[in-house]
Structures are given as structure tokens and as C-alpha cells.
Amino acid sequence: MRGEPIRAAVISDTHGLLRPEVERVLQTCDVIIHAGDFDNQMLYHKLDIGHPLYGVRGNNDGLWAERLPLVLRFELGGISFLMAHERSDIPDETGKAQVVIFGHSHMYHQEAAAGRLWLNPGSCGYRRFTLPLSMAVLTVHEGILDLETVWLKEKSETNRAEDREPELEIVSEMQPDVLRAALPEAADETDSVSSVYGAVPGRRENLREKFERLANRRKPGTADKDRLFQIAKIVRFMNRGGSTEWIAANLGAELSFVEDVCRMYATHPGINAHQILDKLEIKNR
């Protein structure tokens, strides 16, 4: 599948609570993937109205959720997905699924092997015991998958009074091209790559070169992450037809920065937020 990159928010076990910090992340995404336990119909409809929504029924979802499947297969950007609320509900025959998503435990987990990613985004709703709050963002483009783990952590200066919900901050960790990086190091033949992704024109690359390039890739700092969020929002508003002046005013961003992002996005089809940031940094050196 060719076209624009797809940013998919992966969440689970919200249990009726949609935190403002989570909504901030959702605003930067095109699609929501929810691994069950919405807990109430109002939250389901709020998510469903705002974005295309892929969801499964959790053990705490009531009669209203009977129409939701227990197991769901779907495809995004050339990547095939399989999802259920509990890992035990995942069929033994996963078929061609390259990403398997589940929830229920409220505990973040990822495991990548043989070109398949197993992912539990944890819970970003109510905290369970002392488990951290978390979610994930997948960026999918032409058979390539980047994973961003998003942690919701209490700010150190937060008032910890019992009657006040702690204020949270978003801390993310980027893992580029997780599917291909999960292949065995010895499998550096291009045919091994195409067997995982299918025949994707223009994407064949020696894996050893790929590993070296990813190892040398600079990890974004806090300032970079803020810029990435801002760039993603600018692109979304641009796609909705907003003018550069309107976007700048609504985001509180510099007009010149918004114009640079919009110009770069318009002249480089398929470019993503990370690539835009890299090009802007090169331009400003």
C-alpha cells in the first residue's frame, strides 16, 4: 500500500477513563486500535466518532459491546494485524499476522521475533496496583513499522494530595522499523525480507546495512519530541484544509515554522514527521 504514513494509537483497558494526556497523543494519530475493556459505551462512541476505530470486546465490556468481535484481523499500510483482549484468546494459527495485539493484564509487553511483533500496550486508564500507565503509537508506511512506546508518568512537582489526580507527563521511546530489526541477523538475503513484507517495490535493502543505519540513528530528545507532536498536528490540520495562519494561531506556533512544515509536506509526498524534523534541522544548520 502506497500513500501517506499512518499513525495508529494502540491502547487498552481504559475502563471508562480517557485521560487528557492520552487525548493529546490521540490528536496526533489517524487511527485508534483498542484491545478491549472500554468498560462503557460512552467512551467507545467518543473514540469511534473522533477517529477510525479498530476494537475488540473485553471481559468488562457489557451487553452494549456484543457486536464487537472477540478476535479481529485487519490491515493498515501493508501490515497485517491480529487482535484479542486476552493473549489466551489469540488463535494458535496466527496466519500472516505481522502484529499481534492484546491487553487485559494492564502491563506493557513487547516481543519481536521472526518478523512478528507481539504487543500489549498496557493500560492508560485507571492504574492497576503500582503498574505504570502506558500506550503505544505505531507508524505504518509501505510495509515498514515504527514503534513508539508512550509512558504516562507523574510530574515530580505534582501536588500529591489524596483528593487530586496526579498531573502526568508524556515520555516516549522510539524503536524504528521493529519488524525488520526483529529478523535473525544471519538472514541478510533480500528474499528473506520480502517473505516477511511481501514484494514491496523499492524497499529491498541488505539487512546488515539496515542494522548499521538504525544503530547510528539519533534518538530524539525532549525538545525533539515536542516538535514531532507539533509537526504531526500541523500535518493533520493541513490535511483538513486549514490555512497556515489558522494552524499557527490554534497551535501557538511560529508562522514561519508552520509554513516550512506545510511546504515540506506538500513537496515531499509520503514524508513523515521524523523526516520533516530531520530536513528542517539540516535546513537551519
Side-chain angles (χ1 to χ4, degrees), residues 73-223:
R73 296 179 186 269
F74 58 98
E75 183 175 303
L76 287 175
I79 298 291
S80 56
F81 290 76
L82 172 62
M83 178 167 63
H85 178 59
E86 297 187 43
R87 185 163 185 166
S88 59
D89 290 331
I90 299 293
D92 292 336
E93 295 297 327
T94 54
K96 297 181 179 180
Q98 296 159 279
V99 180
V100 180
I101 296 174
F102 55 98
H104 187 59
S105 69
H106 290 226
M107 183 181 299
Y108 184 90
H109 172 80
Q110 70 178 72
E111 176 185 347
R116 177 174 291 145
L117 173 67
W118 294 75
L119 176 64
N120 183 336
S123 170
C124 57
Y126 285 103
R127 190 185 301 276
R128 185 177 187 180
F129 308 118
T130 59
L131 293 175
L133 298 169
S134 60
M135 60 180 293
V137 175
L138 301 176
T139 301
V140 185
H141 189 219
E142 296 184 6
I144 301 299
L145 183 73
D146 292 347
L147 168 65
E148 182 178 0
T149 304
V150 180
W151 302 99
L152 304 175
K153 298 186 177 182
E154 292 185 18
K155 291 186 176 180
S156 57
E157 68 273 16
T158 296
N159 182 347
R160 297 182 179 274
E162 292 183 0
D163 60 347
R164 177 176 173 180
E165 180 71 19
E167 187 177 357
L168 304 176
E169 62 180 344
I170 298 169
V171 180
S172 61
E173 302 170 358
M174 285 298 305
Q175 299 178 56
D177 211 348
V178 290
L179 288 184
R180 192 172 302 185
L183 291 173
E185 186 173 358
D188 58 1
E189 296 297 325
T190 54
D191 286 342
S192 299
V193 176
S194 62
S195 69
V196 176
Y197 295 103
V200 184
R203 296 303 306 187
R204 292 192 171 193
E205 181 178 359
N206 181 283
L207 283 183
R208 190 167 290 109
E209 295 175 359
K210 185 74 172 182
F211 287 139
E212 291 175 357
R213 181 164 65 81
L214 293 179
N216 293 327
R217 179 169 176 169
R218 176 178 55 84
K219 292 184 178 180
T222 302

